[in-house]
Amino acid sequence: MTSSFFLDGKEIPFKEGQTVLQAAMGAGQYIPHLCWRPELEPHSSCRLCIVIISGKPFSSCTQPAMEGQKVECNTPKLNAMRRAVTQLLFVEGNHYCPSCEESGNCKLQATAYHVGMQDSHFPHQFPIRERDSSHPRVNLDRDRCIRCETCVRASRELDGKNVFAIHGRGIKSRLAVNSPTSLLKDSGISPDDMAVKLCPTGALTVKRVGFEWPIGQRIYDKESLATIELREYANQEAVHG
Amino acid sequence: MTPIANMQLETAIHPEGLKRVVIEPITRVEGHGKITLLMDEQNQVKQARLHIVEFRGFEKFIQGRPYWEIPVLVQRLCGICPVSHHLAAAKAMDMLVGARKLTPTAEKLRRLLHYGQTLQSHALHFFHLASPDLLFGFDAEVAKRNIIGVIQAHPAIAVQGVMLRKYGQEVIRVLSGKRVHGNFAIPGGVNKKLTKEDRDYLMKDLDQVLEWSKGAVDIARGIYTGNLAENASFGAFRSNYLSLTAPDGSFELYDGGLRATDANGQRIFDQVNNDHYLRHIHEEVKSWSYMKFPFIVALGNDDGWYRVGPLARINNADRMPTPLAEEERRRFAAMGEGGPVHATLAYHWARMIEMLYAAEAIRDLLDDPDIYGDDLLTQGERALEGVGVIEAPRGTLFHHYVVDETDSVVKANLIVATTNNNTAMNVAVREVAAHYLDGQELTEGLLNHLEVAIRAYDPCLSCATHALGKMPLEVELLAANGNLVDRLVRNADGHCEEK
């Protein structure tokens, strides 16, 4: 027997063990997210996938789908909150889209468009963060890091390297490199690592190839974030079940 | 015409008690600047200066950024000629990746982008910014002396200006993805090929663009020669000229060697390798402007200042590579009677000859089979230092970068076209102030004469101010009677002293 719940009134089937987000994505219903990746353990830190269940907020990436539950997702109030959360991500880093090589390929930027972000709204914090360009092939620009820990998890779970960690707490937390010198050049990072490939912003990039993708041929130039994410999830499901 | 440019009005010997007249902001130019005059009780001009009051700091804040980011980052210097900064930086980055010679396709596509930009920028300046002065008169009614007035009185000319600019913008969009601040040139080449469909789209309107460009030269020439005596002497002065030229001495906008000529048309230097520009060009800083003052080293900072831009390029070129532009260059050169044309207002005429050249060059490139090639990138032995020089619409543009082993920029020097014309624009202001305003009761029309002189150079004031921490400053405390009470000076090295 197939179980199901209701997402904004629409019936969503799910399999045992699936989260609300997984089931929704599998049913073609996009829920905004930044720190969640289908191939990684959920992290529940970006707060974009928050939904309301029985009047209470839950991260849909960690909340198990349950029979018959009523989930609110695409509501004006939640969308406004997602927009504010995205704006906070922008102002607490240093994100200069006009000169960023990831512009057009950046999931953070695409998310900002998706949630209707028109401006930063909140005062910019202008934090001072160190860039690590010591590695010959990989660049770490902490100005663009949103501390979603995608690289931390990908390095550990997919690359088997454990190159990254979050150091410090709260507003002073930053991405740290697990190497004798704390520099990328002395870590085991490689440009082919999933930690680099899955970074949703331009914090981790492969050196010397920036801007090789012309405007009009970048990831989010032709298709929306939701379309791409749903297709990738469907492909992932088809391969791994 | 003044035999030697008027340098006397730069600083009044006794500024105390003089009347101060300020034109702020200067209108119909890009960026923010002001003109100040100090005049005595008889309205005799004692000091005339062009001040650049905005401040950018690009040379400083690009330090630490990866080199491949720079061509996209520095184009944000400007909204009118971002392509110039994009290409100058990309040329410097070519040196860093060892791409001393681009593939034919890459170089021709970059040239196409550059000519599109030259066309749109020149059209913008002549039709939108300068034509109100030229068509109505320098002291015409101020309510009429603007682009709206041009649209009402000369709708056909106004429409041509808009459409010419639109065409240039379309060339830029097709190649770089956006009309302003696109993304095309990358270290070692370009990131996108031109399709047959793109080519056909750009060819569609080209005949009309050529006709309008020819018409624009006729208008500019007609205005200049229609009142030759007045136009040839207005804000005119003898000067040196600097530009790129091709190895055979012909006109060049994208590449080539540096050529400097003196006021008589004699060579000061020729075909100087771009990498060696610092051997020939230095910059001076002055306390009253955020813009630096470049000069030719061999002549010193008093006599070595020069002019760049359309007037310098047409004066310096032995010939134009395209037939229609060459025909017009010959007519222009005849006005110099064997030497350079020194008239400030001749800039407009020269600018329209360049716009015609740009249209012809675009046509030639679109007919060239190389332009459809797939070989877009090249590289060679890496280097840690790169210089890119290009002829931007407003003049010679220098980009110079040093990177470290981590690919990060550690040093940058930008000498922007308008900066090269800094002394010349100040001299033009002094010339006009001395000849038209001295002893006169000031009116809006008279003050506009100063702006007309500045506008002829098509300055981009926002492009021209980058230095951070290098600018000397003077702060003076004056008593009510004008007597100096205290004075604090910060030198170019950042050291402060009381004087």
Side-chain angles (χ1 to χ4, degrees):
Chain A
M1 190 179 78
T2 303
S3 304
S4 64
F5 64 91
F6 293 91
L7 181 71
D8 294 327
K10 181 172 182 160
E11 188 170 4
I12 305 291
F14 68 92
K15 291 182 281 188
E16 181 71 23
Q18 276 192 316
T19 63
V20 169
L21 180 59
Q22 285 173 318
M25 294 287 283
Q29 299 300 306
Y30 175 70
I31 299 177
H33 55 267
L34 275 168
C35 68
W36 180 78
R37 294 285 318 184
E39 59 272 69
L40 297 173
E41 285 297 310
H43 194 249
S44 184
S45 62
C46 75
R47 316 309 286 170
L48 279 169
C49 72
I50 292 284
V51 293
I52 301 291
I53 301 172
S54 303
K56 293 182 179 177
F58 292 92
S59 299
S60 61
C61 68
T62 52
Q63 180 62 21
M66 296 176 69
E67 175 66 30
Q69 66 186 354
K70 292 183 173 55
V71 179
E72 297 172 47
C73 177
N74 188 16
T75 69
K77 187 177 177 183
L78 278 172
N79 288 336
M81 288 171 64
R82 290 188 185 106
R83 186 159 56 246
V85 165
T86 309
Q87 287 167 323
L88 286 167
L89 288 173
F90 272 85
V91 300
E92 73 169 10
N94 296 304
H95 300 275
Y96 303 109
C97 297
S99 60
C100 178
E101 63 193 88
E102 282 301 295
S103 197
N105 294 327
C106 173
K107 195 168 165 184
L108 175 65
Q109 185 189 51
T111 300
Y113 283 121
H114 180 86
V115 299
M117 182 176 147
Q118 300 281 319
D119 60 16
S120 302
H121 183 73
F122 302 104
H124 281 265
Q125 303 293 306
F126 299 115
I128 296 174
R129 296 181 182 171
E130 287 184 11
R131 187 171 148 248
D132 184 345
S133 53
S134 62
H135 194 278
R137 300 286 311 284
V138 179
N139 194 43
L140 169 55
D141 192 334
R142 291 188 176 90
D143 279 341
R144 301 167 181 163
C145 178
I146 56 172
R147 291 162 293 180
C148 63
E149 298 196 35
T150 300
C151 60
V152 176
R153 289 173 287 148
S155 183
R156 188 175 58 226
E157 297 172 23
L158 303 178
D159 302 326
K161 293 185 177 178
N162 203 22
V163 170
F164 297 105
I166 296 295
H167 170 82
R169 299 181 67 81
I171 192 72
K172 293 182 178 173
S173 63
R174 66 179 180 87
L175 187 63
V177 176
N178 180 19
S179 79
T181 58
S182 299
L183 292 173
L184 218 49
K185 70 181 172 72
D186 297 316
S187 75
I189 194 84
S190 152
D192 297 324
D193 283 359
M194 292 305 288
V196 178
K197 290 179 177 173
L198 295 184
C199 175
T201 72
L204 282 166
T205 51
V206 177
K207 279 186 164 185
R208 302 177 180 179
V209 295
F211 302 104
E212 287 190 1
W213 299 270
I215 293 173
Q217 297 176 26
R218 302 171 303 183
I219 294 173
Y220 301 110
D221 283 339
K222 290 180 177 174
E223 292 181 296
S224 72
L225 171 68
T227 303
I228 293 168
E229 290 279 310
L230 288 170
R231 183 173 62 237
E232 286 183 356
Y233 185 77
N235 292 341
Q236 183 98 4
E237 284 290 279
V239 173
H240 300 291
Chain B
M1 188 187 307
T2 318
I4 299 171
N6 190 340
M7 305 300 284
Q8 293 173 345
L9 295 181
E10 180 180 314
T11 304
I13 300 169
H14 297 292
E16 59 278 5
L18 293 175
K19 181 170 58 180
R20 187 164 181 261
V21 177
V22 181
I23 304 173
E24 184 179 21
I26 303 170
T27 57
R28 286 186 272 132
V29 298
E30 291 93 13
H32 302 280
K34 67 178 179 182
I35 296 169
T36 61
L37 304 173
L38 294 185
M39 309 178 85
D40 64 15
E41 290 180 351
Q42 286 75 46
N43 281 344
Q44 302 288 320
V45 179
K46 298 298 180 185
Q47 178 178 299
R49 288 175 173 175
L50 164 67
H51 306 256
I52 313 305
V53 295
E54 63 179 297
F55 184 61
R56 308 297 295 282
F58 269 74
E59 287 174 341
K60 188 69 178 178
F61 66 67
I62 62 173
Q63 290 178 10
R65 301 309 308 169
Y67 72 77
W68 54 87
E69 191 177 291
I70 300 303
V72 173
L73 202 166
V74 295
Q75 68 174 336
R76 295 278 166 172
L77 272 161
C78 189
I80 303 296
C81 62
V83 168
S84 303
H85 295 288
H86 183 59
L87 289 176
K91 287 181 73 178
M93 300 314 152
D94 293 341
M95 302 298 105
L96 298 182
V97 302
R100 287 257 159 201
K101 180 77 179 162
L102 297 186
T103 67
T105 299
E107 183 183 322
K108 287 173 182 177
L109 285 171
R110 283 193 188 182
R111 282 181 180 273
L112 182 60
L113 181 75
H114 192 36
Y115 300 152
Q117 174 210 225
T118 303
L119 196 146
Q120 68 83 15
S121 177
H122 281 1
L124 168 74
H125 180 261
F126 184 72
F127 290 95
H128 294 65
L129 305 182
S131 73
D133 299 320
L134 304 175
L135 294 172
F136 299 132
F138 303 169
D139 49 7
E141 183 191 349
V142 68
K144 181 183 173 188
R145 199 190 330 122
N146 52 54
I147 187 63
I148 303 298
V150 174
I151 292 169
Q152 289 171 338
H154 305 280
I157 291 177
V159 168
Q160 286 176 24
V162 171
M163 297 306 284
L164 279 166
R165 177 152 198 261
K166 181 186 175 189
Y167 183 80
Q169 295 287 75
E170 279 300 282
V171 173
I172 295 170
R173 184 192 62 78
V174 164
L175 294 172
S176 74
K178 292 166 68 180
R179 291 178 184 86
V180 183
H181 299 145
N183 160 16
F184 184 60
I186 56 178
V190 298
N191 65 11
K192 183 182 169 188
K193 65 172 288 183
L194 188 76
T195 65
K196 288 272 196 303
E197 292 74 27
D198 291 336
R199 183 260 186 198
D200 292 345
Y201 171 71
L202 293 176
M203 281 299 279
K204 190 163 52 78
D205 296 325
L206 195 50
D207 287 344
Q208 180 65 77
V209 166
L210 273 164
E211 278 306 307
W212 283 336
S213 299
K214 279 194 284 186
V217 182
D218 290 339
I219 294 171
R221 183 186 348 95
I223 289 171
Y224 186 84
T225 56
N227 189 3
L228 188 59
E230 177 79 10
N231 290 333
S233 63
F234 178 86
F237 50 88
R238 292 162 59 79
S239 72
N240 308 304
Y241 295 96
L242 177 78
S243 71
L244 293 174
T245 56
D248 66 355
S250 60
F251 181 85
E252 175 62 275
L253 288 174
Y254 175 75
D255 207 358
L258 287 164
R259 169 180 283 185
T261 55
D262 65 17
N264 298 315
Q266 301 300 309
R267 301 276 181 267
I268 302 169
F269 53 75
D270 199 6
Q271 287 306 308
V272 165
N273 186 319
N274 293 180
D275 296 355
H276 302 154
Y277 82 100
L278 274 179
R279 296 179 192 172
H280 300 273
I281 306 291
H282 284 183
E283 292 176 284
E284 184 187 14
V285 288
K286 296 188 181 185
S287 58
W288 48 270
S289 178
Y290 280 130
M291 193 154 67
K292 293 191 274 190
F293 292 81
F295 59 93
I296 294 168
V297 176
L299 302 180
N301 54 359
D302 285 339
D303 300 322
W305 58 275
Y306 52 86
R307 284 192 270 191
V308 298
L311 184 66
R313 290 191 286 253
I314 300 294
N315 274 334
N316 271 355
D318 298 336
R319 73 193 69 81
M320 305 295 285
T322 55
L324 296 176
E326 170 60 7
E327 189 181 327
E328 292 297 336
R329 186 201 67 83
R330 287 173 184 270
R331 288 184 181 175
F332 181 91
M335 306 303 288
E337 298 175 346
V341 176
H342 292 300
T344 287
L345 289 180
Y347 261 99
H348 298 297
W349 184 3
R351 191 169 288 117
M352 291 301 94
I353 295 173
E354 290 192 339
M355 188 171 76
L356 177 58
Y357 165 76
E360 288 184 283
I362 288 170
R363 178 200 57 202
D364 293 348
L365 282 171
L366 292 176
D367 281 336
D368 187 333
D370 278 349
I371 207 96
Y372 310 114
D374 296 313
D375 196 5
L376 304 180
L377 277 173
T378 186
Q379 58 182 2
E381 189 177 341
R382 299 181 63 81
L384 295 178
E385 189 167 0
V387 175
V389 184
I390 199 166
E391 284 294 334
R394 287 150 192 83
T396 317
L397 170 64
F398 298 85
H399 277 223
H400 181 184
Y401 303 96
V402 179
V403 300
D404 63 15
E405 291 77 7
T406 71
D407 298 334
S408 306
V409 172
V410 293
K411 187 179 177 185
N413 185 37
L414 312 181
I415 307 178
V416 178
T418 297
T419 309
N420 287 308
N421 274 335
N422 195 1
T423 300
M425 288 189 293
N426 272 281
V427 171
V429 165
R430 287 178 216 136
E431 288 295 319
V432 172
H435 286 87
Y436 291 86
L437 277 68
D438 213 29
Q440 302 290 318
E441 199 63 42
L442 295 183
T443 62
E444 191 281 333
L446 275 178
L447 290 177
N448 185 51
H449 281 60
L450 294 170
E451 294 191 70
V452 168
I454 296 290
R455 272 183 216 119
Y457 293 84
D458 188 14
C460 186
L461 307 179
S462 51
C463 277
T465 51
H466 315 291
L468 198 63
K470 298 175 184 174
M471 196 57 60
L473 292 171
E474 288 180 18
V475 178
E476 290 185 344
L477 179 61
L478 302 179
N481 61 6
N483 290 337
L484 183 67
V485 177
D486 200 2
R487 182 163 174 256
L488 187 65
V489 176
R490 190 186 74 185
N491 297 319
D493 61 4
H495 177 68
C496 292
E497 56 181 300
E498 283 193 52
K499 289 188 174 177

